[in-house]
Every structure is written in C-alpha cells, then in structure tokens.
DNA sequence: TGCCAGGCCCTCTTTAGGGCCTT
C-alpha cells in the first residue's frame, strides 16, 4: 500500500484568514500500518505567540524566534510530502494552514486531504466524542510525547488511521483500505456507511 | 483584554440554529 502523509500544525490561532500563522508542523508517513518516516520543525513566521497558545502547546516566543523561517520549513515539508495523499484530524483546519503557508512561498497546496475526525464519526459513532485524545484513549493507542505538540499529535493521528485501516479490513472486509476508500467513506452519509463498505469490500 | 473561522452534522430541521473540532 502506498504511503499516506499525516500532518499536524501548531498555530497562533484558528484562522489564517484572520492573520494566524503556523508555529510548528509535523508530518508522519504511514505505510502498511507502520510509521516509516517523520518530519518535524518549529517555524518562525515573525509573529508573536500569545499566552493561551503557550499554555496549550508549550511553544514559546523564544522557541519560535530561534526556529528556521516559515518559508524554508514549508518548502522542506512540501518536499517531504512529495505529492502523497494527506490525512489530518479535523483536516479542514490543517488544510487551511497548509494551503495558506504554502501560498506564501508560491507553492500549490491543493492536496487531497482525508479527515480522521469525519472517518471516526462514521466508523465509531459510539465514541463519547471525536477529539483526537479521546479516540486515542478509546483505542488504547500509544502516545509519544506531549499532546498539542505537532509530532506527538501527528503520530497519534497516524496510529488512529492505522487502527481504522485495520478495522476496515477485519470488520468490513475492505482489503484495500487506501486513501481513495477513505475519501469515499468520509463523503458517505453515516446512514449509508454499511452499504458503501459492503460495496467496496466486494469491489 | 477579549474577540475572531468554517465545515460537518444533528434535530425540537430543511425558509435554521447550534454543538463539535481544530489552535
């Protein structure tokens, strides 16, 4: 199965349209249910990090000021992804920052994003909620660092995706739990999930 | 200091409102 790039951004806020910028990015490459490669870097976009964000993430102004320029980091990140299909938890958020930060260095960010939040709502409707930490605890996924740091969250999302691929194979008989199947599943109404997966399993 | 977005999804819905999720 071809690799999938799972990405997570730490940022100064929730909206690049309102001037928020990325402070850290991590990308984990998942292949055959295993993490096979990682990229992580803080980045300096020349903006201040407020106290709420520092408390949430542990990322300080000093850390950001000492980091490489955002454009350099984003070029490296794009090179690392190399056009592979992408996944994030609440992908609408990370996709916005991926596109906004790449646009600042004149690069195209129109990658196909699958979303573990949307997929979780379809595969695990019984979950108490669909926060990344809750789902990781629910599935007894390994944790590898402080939550709300990019690499730890990207790895957690990668483990969640691997769990989903496993469940798609063992519970629903989907032998090809690839990115195309995930994109189709997240576009499927939750009432149609069973018939969609049955159709894909038989394909 | 306090505030900001936006797509998805549910329901006491569809000519709408509000919670969830991300930082």
């Amino acid at each position: 199965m071809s690799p999938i790039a799972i990405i997570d951004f730490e940022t100064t806020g929730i909206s690049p349209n309102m001037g928020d910028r990325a402070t850290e990015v991590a990308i984990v490459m998942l292949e055959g249910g295993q993490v096979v490669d990682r990229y992580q870097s803080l980045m300096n976009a020349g903006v201040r990090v407020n106290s709420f964000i520092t408390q949430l993430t542990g990322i300080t102004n000093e850390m950001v000021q000492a980091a490489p320029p955002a454009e350099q980091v984003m070029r490296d990140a794009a090179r690392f992804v190399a056009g592979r299909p992408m996944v994030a938890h609440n992908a609408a958020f990370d996709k916005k920052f991926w596109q906004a930060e790449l646009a600042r260095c004149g690069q195209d960010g129109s990658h196909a994003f699958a979303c573990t939040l949307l997929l979780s709502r379809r595969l695990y409707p019984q979950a108490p909620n669909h926060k990344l930490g809750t789902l990781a605890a629910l599935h007894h996924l390994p944790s590898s660092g402080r939550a709300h740091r990019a690499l730890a969250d990207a790895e957690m999302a990668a483990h969640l995706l691997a769990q989903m691929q496993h469940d798609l194979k063992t519970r629903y008989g989907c032998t090809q739990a690839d990115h195309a199947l995930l994109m189709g599943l997240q576009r499927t109404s939750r009432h149609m999930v069973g018939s969609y997966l049955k159709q894909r399993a038989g394909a």
Side-chain angles (χ1 to χ4, degrees), chain A residues 69-157:
Chain A
E71 288 195 5
Q72 176 189 323
V73 172
M74 288 306 298
R75 286 196 183 94
D76 290 345
R79 201 173 299 123
F80 183 80
V81 170
R84 292 187 178 91
M86 299 183 76
V87 169
H89 193 71
N90 195 14
F93 176 86
D94 292 285
K95 186 178 182 181
K96 273 191 307 189
F97 279 94
W98 177 251
Q99 292 179 333
E101 293 293 347
L102 280 179
R104 287 176 176 272
C105 32
Q107 294 206 30
D108 175 40
S110 58
H111 296 62
F113 272 73
C115 176
T116 49
L117 169 62
L118 297 182
L119 293 168
S120 174
R121 284 176 176 162
R122 284 153 181 76
L123 290 177
Y124 312 121
Q126 78 285 1
N129 62 59
H130 298 277
K131 294 177 184 177
L132 183 56
T134 300
L135 295 168
L138 188 68
H139 295 290
H140 309 291
L141 303 177
S143 67
S144 57
R146 174 185 171 139
H148 295 298
R149 284 300 298 268
L151 185 57
D153 281 3
E155 293 216 18
M156 198 177 287

Side-chain angles (χ1 to χ4, degrees), chain A residues 12 49-58:
Chain A
T12 61
V49 180
N50 68 38
S51 57
F52 171 78
I53 294 295
T54 295
Q55 195 166 16
L56 179 71
T57 66

Side-chain angles (χ1 to χ4, degrees), chain A residues 4 85-93 95 111-124 161 164 168 178-194 196-197 200:
Chain A
I4 294 176
M86 299 183 76
V87 169
H89 193 71
N90 195 14
F93 176 86
K95 186 178 182 181
H111 296 62
F113 272 73
C115 176
T116 49
L117 169 62
L118 297 182
L119 293 168
S120 174
R121 284 176 176 162
R122 284 153 181 76
L123 290 177
Y124 312 121
L161 178 61
M164 289 173 169
L168 284 166
D178 57 9
H179 196 263
L181 182 143
L182 299 174
M183 293 296 287
L185 178 57
Q186 76 179 26
R187 282 193 299 265
T188 301
S189 154
R190 71 187 178 105
H191 304 291
M192 302 296 288
V193 164
Y196 171 78
L197 291 175
R200 291 300 301 252

